[in-house]
Amino acid sequence: MDRFIIQGGNPLKGKIPVSGAKNAILPIMAASLLAPGKSVLSNVPNLIDLKSMAHLLRIIGARVETGEGRMQIDSTDVCYCEAPYELVSKMRASIYVLGPLLARLGEARVSFPGGCAIGTRPVDLHLKAIEKLGAEVNLEHGYIHAKAKKLKGAVIHFEKSSVGATINTLMACVKASGTTELLNAAMEPEVDVTVDFLNQMGAKITGKGTAHLVIKGVDELFPVGMEMISDRIEAGTFLIAGAMSTEPVTVTNCQPEHLEELISKLRSAGCEIIIEGNEITVNPPKKIKPVDITTLPYPGFPTDLQAQFMVLMSLAEGVSVVTETIFPDRFMHVSELNRLQANISLNLNIATVKGVKELGGAEIMATDLRASAALVLAGIKAQGETIINRIYHIDRGYDRIEEKLNAAGARIVRDKV
Ligand code: UD1
């Protein structure tokens, strides 16, 4: 397992580019199963999670070719309806094939996704929604087995805002008979882009960008080509890195409209933020002000940036409070940050961060994707050497993060163990 060795204390400066959005590409790869023929995606980064999804699509019978930022998915011969344990246990987003397989083949068997490092993550909302569309759902030997000759439109009110359940239900119902209404649908940009992709395929979905989506079922869908949006979480990670620097940092190829809540919090922390087209420049403050955050569904503060923002707050002049409402156990990074001499205490889903003058290098361990990114930011800032073990998590969601950060002044070496 690779590890990062970081010589801290080297300020970042200059431009850092952002890649395509993993969390948009994963559902769109699954959506491409809905139409026989070749769909082509561009602005696709090289990430382990996308490779795992490509592997799963191949098992199902699709042909997937990747290279030079493009991915071609030929779904002509899709014929197997099973997502096996080995893949789903590695990547929860495999659950995204449930809706499309049910719509295309009338049957899907998907290994039940378990918990993960960020806590319990149920899929009850996905299952209740497809049942409402008329599917028969059984849990057998660790698998979700769903069947439906023809799904039927329904009114579905999600009791909780869920990105995954909204997208899975959309993919299941685009070819259902009649009209489906989704209430309390998630409004994340990754939902919007999936709506765009499905509509380009021939679906009839209205209400994009709101919590009320209306889907008129269609008989046929067609493959399409689409450029993927840029990754708002990667962009946010680099903006936070810039906020901890002593020099201006410009994050390029990003979509500032997806980052409004973070930008507002960075301004409250004392940063000057300049937005020009698809570039955002952060001029870091001399002294970081403490700012409280509460994670919420979009457009609220994203849970996927909570760990990174906590690193910034650990260097603030004063005390800040971080409240996690999406995944209440998502605090594995706290003990690792404290090893780097941060001063963070935890009470249930609320972390109290007492700012320290500086962090100090240590040997630590990456636990999940976003926590790993936070540890990298902390390592860049900490005095001395930081060794981060088990960094395979970071390769799941960040394309060449060490190369991008090194080009902006960091000193990170990948040690292949
Ligand atoms: C997606 C993102 C993940 C992000 C999360 C929240 C992908 C691949 N992953 O995950 O990076 O952290 O959104 O923005 O896009 N819930 C239920 N029952 C369900 C489904 C969800 O109770 O059936 C709960 C979850 O436990 C959580 C909340 O709903 O408390 C939101 O989760 P959800 O939006 O579904 O997250 P994911 O789609 O899994």
Side-chain angles (χ1 to χ4, degrees), residues 24-261:
I25 300 168
L26 286 167
I28 283 175
M29 288 173 74
S32 67
L33 295 174
L34 285 162
K38 290 177 188 166
S39 291
V40 181
L41 321 182
S42 54
N43 194 24
V44 176
N46 185 12
L47 300 174
I48 288 180
D49 271 9
L50 299 183
K51 287 185 184 148
S52 301
M53 188 59 127
H55 185 178
L56 175 54
L57 297 195
R58 289 187 188 111
I59 287 176
I60 288 166
R63 288 198 189 128
V64 186
E65 285 167 31
T66 54
E68 291 172 14
R70 280 161 60 91
M71 180 182 287
Q72 179 178 286
I73 302 164
D74 183 347
S75 296
T76 309
D77 297 326
V78 164
C79 57
Y80 297 101
C81 63
E82 184 162 317
Y85 171 79
E86 305 84 77
L87 280 172
V88 183
S89 59
K90 265 195 220 146
M91 188 191 55
R92 290 179 48 84
S94 311
I95 187 80
Y96 275 139
V97 299
L98 179 66
L101 285 180
L102 196 54
R104 171 102 185 251
L105 303 177
E107 186 171 3
R109 254 175 68 81
V110 179
S111 175
F112 201 87
C116 64
I118 66 176
T120 317
R121 294 175 75 181
V123 289
D124 56 316
L125 302 175
H126 301 237
L127 304 188
K128 279 184 201 158
I130 59 168
E131 276 180 333
K132 273 237 161 188
L133 295 172
E136 187 193 321
V137 179
N138 289 301
L139 300 182
E140 311 164 340
H141 312 295
Y143 276 74
I144 300 160
H145 190 188
K147 275 197 216 167
K149 278 211 176 76
K150 174 85 180 162
L151 295 167
K152 291 193 190 78
V155 176
I156 298 167
H157 190 153
F158 293 108
E159 51 201 79
K160 208 171 188 185
S161 175
S162 159
V163 178
T166 301
I167 292 178
N168 228 341
T169 313
L170 271 174
M171 296 189 291
C173 76
V174 277
K175 288 180 73 187
S177 59
T179 300
T180 300
E181 281 188 58
L182 304 185
L183 304 168
N184 195 27
M187 298 190 288
E188 271 69 1
E190 294 76 22
V191 177
D192 289 359
V193 73
T194 309
V195 168
D196 287 340
F197 188 76
L198 291 168
N199 278 343
Q200 280 192 31
M201 291 175 98
K204 290 203 159 66
I205 308 170
T206 53
K208 187 182 96 173
T210 75
H212 184 184
L213 298 172
V214 179
I215 306 100
K216 288 199 174 126
V218 295
D219 289 332
E220 219 180 339
L221 294 169
F222 305 92
V224 289
M226 194 167 145
E227 184 174 344
M228 299 295 104
I229 57 170
S230 76
D231 194 313
R232 65 192 169 102
I233 304 302
E234 188 190 15
T237 303
F238 295 151
L239 286 174
I240 295 170
M244 293 193 296
S245 183
T246 48
E247 306 280 345
V249 168
T250 300
V251 177
T252 64
N253 186 31
C254 64
Q255 288 175 254
E257 68 276 20
H258 296 160
L259 287 155
E260 284 180 6
E261 185 59 21

Side-chain angles (χ1 to χ4, degrees), residues 231-394:
D231 194 313
R232 65 192 169 102
I233 304 302
E234 188 190 15
T237 303
F238 295 151
L239 286 174
I240 295 170
M244 293 193 296
S245 183
T246 48
E247 306 280 345
V249 168
T250 300
V251 177
T252 64
N253 186 31
C254 64
Q255 288 175 254
E257 68 276 20
H258 296 160
L259 287 155
E260 284 180 6
E261 185 59 21
L262 173 68
I263 288 170
S264 146
K265 292 292 180 186
L266 289 176
R267 285 186 169 135
S268 303
C271 299
E272 185 194 3
I273 305 278
I274 301 157
I275 301 171
E276 278 168 319
N278 66 356
E279 298 193 352
I280 307 175
T281 298
V282 50
N283 283 316
K286 288 224 159 48
K287 289 177 181 170
I288 300 163
K289 293 185 203 154
V291 181
D292 296 344
I293 57 160
T294 299
T295 61
L296 288 169
Y298 190 85
F301 194 95
T303 174
D304 285 352
L305 287 173
Q306 179 252 105
Q308 300 89 315
F309 200 82
M310 193 183 281
V311 179
L312 176 67
M313 286 302 102
S314 69
L315 289 162
E317 272 211 332
V319 180
S320 56
V321 176
V322 173
T323 307
E324 174 59 63
T325 73
I326 309 289
F327 298 112
D329 298 329
R330 189 176 206 174
F331 286 113
M332 303 285 281
H333 43 283
V334 167
S335 54
E336 301 307 294
L337 291 176
N338 283 344
R339 288 175 67 79
L340 298 178
Q341 293 162 28
N343 183 351
I344 306 166
S345 55
L346 201 53
N347 183 6
L348 299 173
N349 66 327
I350 298 173
T352 303
V353 188
K354 291 190 179 136
V356 294
K357 283 221 161 54
E358 60 180 30
L359 299 172
E363 184 159 355
I364 50 178
M365 190 171 76
T367 50
D368 68 73
L369 171 55
R370 306 303 170 186
S372 313
L375 298 182
V376 170
L377 301 194
I380 290 173
K381 206 53 198 165
Q383 295 304 315
E385 184 174 273
T386 294
I387 297 174
I388 309 182
N389 293 300
R390 297 166 71 94
I391 48 121
Y392 68 90
H393 289 288
I394 214 162

Side-chain angles (χ1 to χ4, degrees), residues 1-5 388 391 395 402-403 413-417:
M1 271 182 217
D2 294 2
R3 56 185 197 160
F4 278 159
I5 301 173
I388 309 182
I391 48 121
D395 296 327
E402 75 277 28
E403 283 177 33
V413 173
R414 182 182 289 259
D415 183 24
K416 293 196 179 286
V417 182

